[in-house]
């Protein structure tokens, strides 16, 4: 063995030899490239590693393209699906790691994440699906990413508050979403946005999330980001590393979904408050009934409501719009 290779490199090489999948091999090669001592003596080896890496990446992409199903969707689970979009190294995978039981790879080199990785974020009595993604960049992007973002219910625009070029990062994300014909909105659309949506663009609610709030320069940067973008999107500063504001983030994820929780009960019984039905805001009683059972929609005569807007047990018609926290008794 060449005397100037470190134990770290040798370990990565050992893992590479034992790796069985494209992903593992690519990860090992990247690690080898990262830890290899950088000097003249290893130039040839570095070039060789790069060549093997690029060949493996091509093979992996081909394999992914032929594997059916993977390339276009992440099966939705829970109350809604929110996808993270951001440049490399902003902490998307770290966030998924602290908010969910998923175990994405977190590392200080770019392009660690190559697949959409879903995890479930608990908030109160609901579970929200959060999807980690490869980074967006002008250099290289996976072709399936646009479709995943279009399919999601909402988007987290994730940036690194310790990055002096954070404003460029926001503009990069905005530019790429525009390429993908996705308009990230704060809520209901402005007339200008609606005009765009009319020509094949989709609108998705978005939140601008500044991560790494724990680092020294972040507070100032955050003030600037808020000043510039605070009127365009809701904004939140967090630290995945120190757990700063994660409870706030969970609540914001719920808010982003723009849903209400309703509970059903049988006459004379107590509702099960641990298992809400989550409905798009603006849904009616008959839509809730249809969610409970497809036949209920046709058979529903009326409902009784226990909630904030009505007195307890008040009778409402099929078209009554349900509110957050309503308890509903369906009469067929
Ligand atoms: N100081 C600090 N570092 C973080 C934070 N979140 C992530 N990192 C670091 O930033 C690097 C990139 O994180 P990663 O989650 O892989 O970023 P991704 O490329 O966006 O998925 C890693 O070295 C993390 O440990 C944070 O809140 N504060
Ligand atoms: Mg990542």
């Amino acid at each position: 063995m060449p005397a100037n290779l470190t134990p770290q490199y040798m370990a990565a090489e050992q893992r590479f030899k034992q790796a069985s999948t494209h992903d593992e091999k690519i990860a090992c090669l990247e690690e080898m490239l990262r830890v290899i001592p950088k000097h003249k003596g290893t130039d040839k080896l570095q070039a060789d590693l790069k060549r093997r890496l690029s060949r493996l990446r091509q093979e992996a992409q081909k394999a992914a393209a032929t594997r059916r199903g993977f390339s276009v969707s992440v099966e939705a689970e829970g109350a809604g699906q929110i996808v993270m979009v951001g440049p490399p190294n902003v902490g998307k995978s770290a966030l998924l790691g602290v908010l969910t039981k998923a175990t994405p790879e977190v590392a200080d080199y770019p392009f660690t994440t190559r697949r959409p990785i879903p995890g479930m974020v608990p908030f109160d009595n609901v579970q929200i699906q959060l999807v980690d993604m490869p980074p967006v960049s002008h250099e290289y992007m996976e072709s399936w990413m646009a479709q995943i973002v279009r399919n999601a219910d909402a988007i987290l625009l994730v940036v690194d508050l310790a990055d002096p070029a954070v404003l460029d990062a926001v503009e990069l994300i905005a530019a790429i979403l525009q390429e993908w014909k996705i308009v990230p909105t704060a809520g209901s659309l402005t007339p200008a946005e609606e005009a765009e949506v009319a020509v094949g663009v989709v609108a998705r609610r978005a939140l601008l999330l500044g991560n790494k709030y724990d680092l020294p320069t972040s507070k100032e940067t955050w003030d600037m980001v808020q000043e510039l973008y605070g009127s365009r999107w809701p904004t939140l500063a967090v630290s995945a590393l120190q757990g700063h504001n994660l409870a706030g983030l969970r609540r914001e994820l719920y808010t982003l979904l723009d849903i209400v929780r309703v509970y059903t009960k049988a006459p004379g019984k107590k509702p099960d408050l641990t298992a809400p039905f989550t409905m798009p805001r603006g849904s009616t009683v008959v839509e809730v009934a249809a969610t409970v059972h497809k036949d209920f929609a046709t058979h529903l005569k009326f409902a009784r409501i226990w909630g904030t807007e009505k007195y307890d047990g008040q009778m409402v018609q099929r078209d009554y719009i349900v509110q957050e926290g309503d308890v509903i008794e369906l009469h067929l």
Side-chain angles (χ1 to χ4, degrees), residues 53-306:
L53 188 56
S54 103
R55 203 171 50 222
L56 258 173
R57 280 197 179 128
Q58 279 171 8
E59 281 174 24
Q61 235 179 355
K62 259 192 231 146
T66 53
R67 223 177 300 138
R68 218 184 67 80
F70 156 71
S71 56
V72 281
S73 75
V74 177
E75 194 184 341
E77 261 188 275
Q81 187 186 65
I82 300 178
V83 60
M84 287 188 278
V85 175
N89 285 329
V90 297
K92 300 180 294 301
S93 298
L95 283 163
L96 189 78
V98 293
L99 292 168
T100 76
K101 294 199 175 92
T103 52
E105 206 180 329
V106 174
D108 60 2
Y109 51 94
F111 302 100
T112 322
T113 310
R114 267 179 229 92
R115 299 272 177 276
I117 304 176
M120 300 307 291
V121 183
F123 168 71
D124 249 354
N125 52 8
V126 294
Q127 301 274 334
I128 299 165
Q129 189 181 42
L130 185 64
V131 183
D132 185 16
M133 290 268 275
V136 292
S137 79
H138 283 310
E139 286 78 53
Y140 174 76
M141 271 194 297
E142 310 272 356
S143 53
W144 44 262
M145 285 173 66
Q147 197 51 42
I148 301 259
V149 182
R150 288 173 76 100
N151 281 344
D153 296 306
I155 309 172
L156 280 187
L157 316 168
V158 192
V159 295
D160 175 354
L161 294 178
D163 176 5
V166 66
L167 300 183
D168 294 341
V170 180
E171 291 307 319
L172 169 78
I173 297 172
I176 284 168
L177 289 176
Q178 192 174 18
E179 251 174 59
W180 290 345
K181 295 193 176 356
I182 299 163
V183 183
T185 66
S188 41
L189 297 176
T190 64
E193 285 167 342
E194 253 176 49
E196 275 185 275
V197 171
V199 291
V201 176
V202 298
R204 291 288 173 268
R205 292 169 74 97
L207 176 119
L208 179 57
L209 186 68
N211 187 34
K212 310 197 188 180
Y213 196 58
D214 55 287
L215 292 172
T217 56
S218 294
K219 174 129 198 1
E220 254 172 73
T221 310
W222 180 236
D223 290 344
M224 180 179 69
V225 168
Q226 273 184 302
E227 197 169 310
L228 275 167
Y229 296 104
S231 58
R232 192 157 159 200
W233 299 297
T235 56
L236 191 72
V238 298
S239 163
L241 203 69
Q242 304 209 329
H244 175 76
N245 233 351
L246 294 185
L249 177 54
R250 284 194 198 90
R251 173 162 292 282
E252 287 295 332
L253 292 179
Y254 180 74
T255 307
L256 262 183
L257 291 178
D258 205 22
I259 53 181
V260 294
R261 283 173 284 178
V262 299
Y263 306 86
T264 57
K265 74 186 270 308
K269 298 252 169 66
K270 287 212 161 73
D272 178 2
L273 295 179
T274 64
F277 286 91
T278 51
M279 305 292 300
R281 188 180 302 284
S283 296
T284 60
V285 160
V286 70
E287 284 166 334
V288 176
T291 308
V292 178
H293 190 289
K294 63 177 169 41
D295 294 345
F296 283 17
T298 39
H299 295 134
L300 181 73
K301 294 202 182 71
F302 68 94
R304 291 189 188 283
I305 296 259
W306 286 255

